[in-house]
Amino acid sequence: CGYMLVIPLSCALNRLPTPEPRVWVHTLFFIVRSQLWIQTFDLDYDAQAGRRTSAVLLGLKRTQAALAALLLAEAAFVHAYFRDWALRSFSLASFGLLMLQVSCGDRTKKPSPAEIKTTFIVLGLGGYGLLVQVWLNGAFNPDETLSA
């Protein structure tokens, strides 16, 4: 998980202390959910190329079920360990978006290009907004914890 190196690298470059474990856990949730969700978009291509991704091995329905469980676990974690309304909203909205994608699409086929584009737009804009919100209000600062 090379993405996890973003935290120590940014801390080193900005001469910041290492964040609390809850920040690392949130980052891990974010990385795994993003990876799993994106794999559902490439499922057919990855299978044809002989790649053994999680989505290829699980199949679309089970991957979406695993993603739903992961998003719910993330939302529960964020609600337990962060006060920030934007972090909480993003986690719950992501679950809602997946439920829309599953209920509006054909669950036997990979998502359509329009569904993929919509998902990227919604999560992308939400992610950029979340980035600014977290940066401005310091949601990952030690004094913002609920349960630690």
Side-chain angles (χ1 to χ4, degrees):
C1 253
Y3 293 112
M4 289 299 285
L5 295 175
V6 169
I7 295 173
L9 180 61
S10 63
C11 290
L13 291 174
N14 293 295
R15 296 186 177 121
L16 295 170
T18 303
E20 298 176 336
R22 69 191 178 107
V23 175
W24 292 83
V25 172
H26 179 269
T27 302
L28 186 60
F29 269 120
F30 195 80
I31 291 168
V32 174
R33 63 114 94 179
S34 299
Q35 185 68 32
L36 197 57
W37 209 328
I38 290 170
Q39 285 180 9
T40 66
F41 300 151
D42 297 332
L43 188 62
D44 292 343
Y45 303 110
D46 287 344
Q48 289 172 0
R51 293 185 190 101
R52 295 178 48 84
T53 65
S54 300
V56 169
L57 295 174
L58 293 172
L60 181 61
K61 290 179 184 179
R62 287 188 295 192
T63 301
Q64 289 173 329
L67 180 57
L70 183 67
L71 290 170
L72 287 174
E74 175 191 322
F77 178 81
V78 169
H79 275 71
Y81 289 96
F82 294 94
R83 291 183 192 166
D84 187 70
W85 66 268
L87 277 173
R88 291 174 168 184
S89 298
F90 188 80
S91 292
L92 289 174
S94 296
F95 178 75
L97 181 61
L98 177 66
M99 292 300 96
L100 278 173
Q101 185 182 29
V102 168
S103 64
C104 293
D106 183 349
R107 289 207 52 200
T108 61
K109 292 194 271 182
K110 71 178 183 90
S112 71
E115 290 172 320
I116 294 169
K117 183 178 179 179
T118 300
T119 301
F120 278 129
I121 289 171
V122 171
L123 289 177
L125 291 175
Y128 282 120
L130 181 61
L131 179 72
V132 171
Q133 171 71 13
V134 166
W135 182 67
L136 289 174
N137 74 5
F140 291 142
N141 291 344
D143 58 335
E144 286 297 316
T145 188
L146 283 176
S147 302

